[in-house]
Amino acid sequence: MKQTPVFDRLAALSDPIRARLLAALERHELSVGELHRALQLPQSTVSRHLRALADAGWVASREDGTSNRYRLAPEPDPAARKLWLAVRDEVAALAAVQRDAERVRGVLAARHTTSQKFFASSAGQWDRLRAGLFGDRVELFALLGLLDPSWTVADLGCGTGQLADAIAPFVARVIAVDESPAMLRAARARLSARGNVAVRPGTVEAPPLEPGEAHAAVLSLVLPYIADPAAALGAVRATLAPRGRALVLDLRPHDRADLREQMGHAWQGIAEAQLAAWASEAGFTSCRYVALPPQPAAKGPALFVATLH
């Protein structure tokens, strides 16, 4: 007679050690070493019984660095669930299972203590350590996850496409626009693997977008080059869908007159009152202007970010 899965599951539960392992793994994900400490059994014994439980579909595992972490299979079939609940009710009162639960709590407390010791010793150098491990200001890139995934975002004055490349994974579509042929070549090379990015030649004053095509428009270090920023912002507003917004990142007022000669700036930084006036003339009803803190390694003027809607 062909053996049914229920008998395989019954066989896997026939050993008290396996029942203890399942009781420990029902609420917590633990490694072999942690189970060894909690159940006070040799690691080889723990590993052998975990293999039997895994073969019968009782436990699942995931790789975590050089070790595996085990847990009760997340969604056993209804028959297996009923079987485990019956067994659990019987073994829960066993002194060995109760001691295991106490030691599991100790293992979890030790985990927490280890992390607290690390942060206690690293607080003074955490910013430097985090930057070395994950990059400078990585949390700012994480904020892109707040963008609506259904949006189309226009990157106006996209340059080499660095910002469009960062935005693309988080939204439905990015339209990257620039008037410089050299910048467009660089942007196309960088963005060629992004299937949801369109690179278009054009200007901020006359964006190559249909009315209402974009949910948001980004102008990064663009306005100082524009002779009539109010008119340009009006053109940008026309590309936005209802309730769309424009995000402006640019220079605060500064005394670097050399930038006019070197970079062809028409405006030596933009004050809050000036931007608000341009935004109002363009038809925006709100302008929120926030001065950004200077970066230690930055050699240029201080920046601001503004949201227009």
Side-chain angles (χ1 to χ4, degrees), residues 107-148:
V107 165
L108 297 175
R111 272 193 206 168
H112 182 70
T113 298
T114 298
S115 65
Q116 291 304 302
K117 285 181 179 177
F118 168 76
F119 285 113
S121 63
S122 303
Q125 56 182 341
W126 173 239
D127 289 347
R128 179 182 58 80
L129 178 61
R130 184 178 62 175
L133 289 171
F134 310 117
D136 189 35
R137 307 309 298 269
V138 66
E139 70 280 2
L140 299 182
F141 286 97
L143 292 177
L144 292 172
L146 296 173
L147 292 172
D148 190 311

Side-chain angles (χ1 to χ4, degrees), residues 224 251-254 265 267-271 274 278 304:
L251 282 62
R252 290 155 59 187
H254 59 85
H265 283 177
W267 301 90
Q268 200 160 307
I270 301 166
Q274 179 67 83
W278 290 337
F304 71 89

Side-chain angles (χ1 to χ4, degrees), residues 29-31 34 61-70 111:
E29 188 182 54
L30 301 166
S31 68
E34 290 171 332
S61 67
R62 67 175 178 89
E63 291 187 5
D64 184 28
T66 58
S67 64
N68 288 338
R69 292 192 180 273
Y70 293 85
R111 272 193 206 168

Side-chain angles (χ1 to χ4, degrees), residues 11 39 101 111 121 150 165-166 243 266 295 306:
L39 274 65
R111 272 193 206 168
S121 63
S150 68
D165 193 36
R243 302 179 66 182
Q295 296 299 300

Side-chain angles (χ1 to χ4, degrees), residues 34-272:
E34 290 171 332
L35 287 165
H36 146 71
R37 293 194 293 276
L39 274 65
Q40 296 189 336
L41 294 170
Q43 288 198 26
S44 58
T45 300
V46 171
S47 295
R48 175 164 51 84
H49 285 292
L50 284 173
R51 280 195 298 272
L53 289 169
D55 290 343
W58 280 113
V59 299
S61 67
R62 67 175 178 89
E63 291 187 5
D64 184 28
T66 58
S67 64
N68 288 338
R69 292 192 180 273
Y70 293 85
R71 65 190 186 283
L72 187 69
E75 294 184 4
D77 60 70
R81 183 66 181 169
K82 288 173 62 177
L83 178 59
W84 165 241
L85 292 176
V87 171
R88 184 189 65 183
D89 289 344
E90 290 295 321
V91 303
L94 297 178
V97 172
Q98 293 177 5
R99 288 194 297 269
D100 294 344
E102 291 176 4
R103 286 191 290 265
V104 165
R105 287 193 289 271
V107 165
L108 297 175
R111 272 193 206 168
H112 182 70
T113 298
T114 298
S115 65
Q116 291 304 302
K117 285 181 179 177
F118 168 76
F119 285 113
S121 63
S122 303
Q125 56 182 341
W126 173 239
D127 289 347
R128 179 182 58 80
L129 178 61
R130 184 178 62 175
L133 289 171
F134 310 117
D136 189 35
R137 307 309 298 269
V138 66
E139 70 280 2
L140 299 182
F141 286 97
L143 292 177
L144 292 172
L146 296 173
L147 292 172
D148 190 311
S150 68
W151 276 7
T152 292
V153 176
D155 181 7
L156 303 176
C158 67
T160 62
Q162 184 177 29
L163 183 58
D165 193 36
I167 294 172
F170 298 94
V171 297
R173 191 166 174 241
V174 177
I175 301 170
V177 176
D178 207 283
E179 63 176 311
S180 164
M183 290 292 191
L184 288 170
R185 285 193 297 272
R188 288 191 177 102
R190 167 176 269 154
L191 300 168
S192 60
R194 297 289 190 191
N196 65 334
V197 178
V199 180
R200 300 177 182 175
T203 66
V204 178
E205 296 93 328
L209 283 84
E210 295 297 323
E213 187 175 359
H215 299 90
V218 180
L219 295 84
S220 178
L221 304 177
V222 168
L223 288 183
Y225 297 96
I226 295 174
D228 189 349
L233 289 174
V236 171
R237 184 175 177 274
T239 70
L240 296 176
R243 302 179 66 182
R245 298 190 176 195
L247 184 72
V248 177
L249 171 68
D250 231 311
L251 282 62
R252 290 155 59 187
H254 59 85
D255 58 2
R256 292 284 303 275
D258 60 303
L259 294 182
R260 286 182 180 269
E261 301 297 327
Q262 180 183 355
M263 305 181 74
H265 283 177
W267 301 90
Q268 200 160 307
I270 301 166
E272 181 175 1

Side-chain angles (χ1 to χ4, degrees), residues 7 78 264:
F7 293 115

